[in-house]
Amino acid sequence: MTTFGQRLAGALDEHGALCVGIDPHEALLKTWGLDASADGAREFGLRVVEASAGRVGIVKPQVAFFERYGSRGFAALEDVMAAARGAGLLVIADAKRGDIGSTMEGYASAWLEPGSPLEADAVTLSPYLGPDSLDKTLKTALRHRKGAFVLAATSNPEAAVVQQALVDDDAPTEGQRVAERVARDVGSMNMGLPGALGSIGVVVGATVDRKAFGLTDMVFAGTPILAPGFGAQGADPADIPRLFGYVAMNVIANESRSILAVGPDRLADRIAERAALYRGADRG
């Protein structure tokens, strides 16, 4: 059975870097003529899946916009993710879970266990209760040939004070930053896996100065990079080589609003247009 990293590499080779976000904001639902409800979110998500299938390789549902509707919202999310996986799309559940002990094991079972109602191909995780708190979850992902993306350098300005801080258990002369420590710990999980691309990745905003976080090309070797910030947030497909250098081929470029805002009638064409731009960009 192939690993998530191998499936991801295949999706990137075939379809390019674009990942379509499935973000049923209330304002978008209304623009699309849908109710701001679980049923509206379900219909929205299924339409995005239908438009994405065959045009991109990856979609990323934002869990919060389904969770807001309670149990019916989670049922809608289950339907959307199952439809996406059934259509051959890789599904990254953007849940940003992070905890310790048995609680984290519960999250791992929810998102990464085969046969779970919320089964995804990968899930986003927060390491800020300590990177080691994710160890069992990441091992669960690898055991089931799944993936995970761990927050390293996020684009919100208030994050820098934590993510650029120096760790206190490293030699002072090395000056290792928290984000770098996270990325190095994540990268170590990929050692020994088959293929050039690992299954455990990091989240790095496309609009941040990654070197200010200690995130060099060497740190990222073999690590998938989920990069929000393309499209409406300002980064462009042609920017990938400049932003990510030698690891540009590892990048998954997420776009949401810039695609979804065109509405359901133009959605498939918009996805195809944006996907072609990423395939045409020189990624290194």
Side-chain angles (χ1 to χ4, degrees):
M1 183 177 177
T2 57
T3 66
F4 172 75
Q6 289 173 311
R7 298 194 300 278
L8 176 60
L12 293 173
D13 286 345
E14 182 176 357
H15 296 288
L18 180 60
C19 167
V20 176
I22 305 178
D23 296 10
H25 292 268
E26 183 173 352
L28 276 174
L29 290 173
K30 291 179 179 178
T31 299
W32 282 39
L34 299 170
D35 292 335
S37 66
D39 289 341
R42 179 183 182 277
E43 181 65 21
F44 181 100
L46 292 176
R47 290 185 186 183
V48 177
V49 167
E50 182 180 9
S52 298
R55 297 178 175 91
V56 296
I58 312 158
V59 293
K60 183 176 71 65
Q62 172 50 258
V63 171
F65 294 121
F66 293 88
E67 187 173 338
R68 65 176 297 191
Y69 300 116
S71 60
R72 292 190 65 190
F74 272 111
L77 177 61
E78 291 170 12
D79 289 344
V80 170
M81 292 200 300
R85 297 183 70 239
L89 294 160
L90 289 179
V91 176
I92 302 172
D94 197 354
K96 298 183 178 69
R97 299 303 193 235
D99 213 310
I100 58 174
S102 59
T103 308
M104 203 62 221
E105 291 176 13
Y107 286 138
S109 295
W111 299 103
L112 300 172
E113 289 275 358
S116 166
L118 288 167
E119 181 183 359
D121 294 290
V123 65
T124 58
L125 302 171
S126 173
Y128 292 108
L129 271 71
D132 289 348
S133 67
L134 302 179
D135 184 67
K136 288 185 178 179
T137 303
L138 299 180
K139 287 178 179 175
T140 297
L142 295 177
R143 185 169 66 253
H144 294 304
R145 303 293 194 269
K146 301 287 190 179
F149 290 89
V150 181
L151 302 178
T154 56
S155 56
N156 54 313
E158 63 271 23
V161 67
V162 173
Q163 295 166 3
Q164 293 183 8
L166 299 176
V167 299
D168 64 3
D169 63 346
D170 202 14
T173 54
E174 293 182 14
Q176 189 179 53
R177 300 192 181 278
V178 170
E180 179 187 358
R181 172 66 170 271
V182 169
R184 287 187 182 278
D185 285 355
V186 164
S188 70
M189 301 293 293
N190 292 320
M191 293 181 64
L193 295 180
L197 198 60
S199 294
I200 308 300
V202 291
V203 179
V204 177
T207 57
V208 304
D209 176 6
R210 64 185 174 96
K211 301 228 175 132
F213 292 78
L215 299 173
T216 63
D217 291 348
M218 185 176 295
V219 171
F220 282 149
T223 302
I225 303 165
L226 177 59
F230 286 89
Q233 294 182 52
D236 189 78
D239 295 330
I240 292 180
R242 174 181 61 81
L243 294 171
F244 292 99
Y246 288 107
V247 293
M249 294 298 293
N250 300 5
V251 171
I252 304 157
N254 184 77
E255 287 196 31
S256 299
R257 283 175 291 166
S258 55
I259 289 173
L260 304 174
V262 303
D265 294 337
R266 290 195 55 231
L267 184 62
D269 288 342
R270 178 65 170 174
I271 291 172
E273 290 165 5
R274 296 300 292 174
L277 290 176
Y278 286 95
R279 289 192 296 272
D282 181 6
R283 297 176 58 212

